[in-house]
Amino acid sequence: MSEHGMVTVASDWPVGETIDRLQAVVIGVGLFVFARIDHAGNAAQIGMELRPTELLIFGNPRGGTPLMQDRQTSGIDLPVKALAWQDQDGKVWLTYNSASWIAERHGLGPESEIAVGAIETGLARLVQQAAGPAAIT
């Protein structure tokens, strides 16, 4: 499903395992993991409840730098990120920003088209590998 520039796919795994799998796939293809944020864990530290929710921030300067050379504001959406989250019914989802949405949001020009296409294709492939067969729609 795609809404407001976000792509959301079902995951066959719990939130933590979904992010573990994504992290392994990301590292396996030579990308960098810049941060992993456990939003639910952070909420628990201040006495608040949040269903399992984790964010992975990853990428490679070779992919993102051309977009920032085109429009530096695209750096607010880079590196790319994916959010694994559990809904009220216990279903786990993996959501990420569409690279074409990032391009549109920042008014990237034709010189960014190749990089945007590579990011779009690569993200979809990584997410499918991490989320399992449920991600293939």
Side-chain angles (χ1 to χ4, degrees):
M1 102 181 72
S2 180
E3 185 175 334
H4 305 294
M6 295 180 290
V7 178
T8 299
V9 299
S11 177
D12 289 329
W13 315 103
V15 167
E17 192 170 345
T18 297
I19 292 296
D20 288 344
R21 291 171 57 86
L22 180 60
Q23 184 169 320
V25 171
V26 161
I27 291 168
V29 298
L31 299 175
F32 303 108
V33 172
F34 296 106
R36 180 174 177 165
I37 301 166
D38 180 352
H39 289 303
N42 290 336
Q45 289 180 7
I46 59 163
M48 296 182 75
E49 290 185 26
L50 180 66
R51 288 186 302 272
T53 308
E54 290 192 37
L55 180 73
L56 190 69
I57 302 172
F58 60 95
N60 187 311
R62 290 190 191 283
T65 301
L67 278 61
M68 288 184 273
Q69 287 174 327
D70 187 355
R71 288 287 184 124
Q72 277 184 286
T73 59
S74 64
I76 200 162
D77 292 310
L78 299 168
V80 295
K81 53 192 95 30
L83 181 75
W85 54 282
Q86 180 181 310
D87 69 17
Q88 65 275 7
D89 298 322
K91 180 74 180 145
V92 175
W93 302 93
L94 193 53
T95 300
Y96 62 95
N97 288 325
S98 162
S100 57
W101 174 81
I102 293 170
E104 181 180 327
R105 179 177 189 206
H106 297 281
L108 299 180
E111 60 272 18
S112 295
E113 286 179 15
I114 292 172
V116 168
I119 292 168
E120 189 86 30
T121 302
L123 273 173
R125 195 173 304 132
L126 293 171
V127 165
Q128 283 185 349
Q129 289 178 29
I136 302 170
T137 55

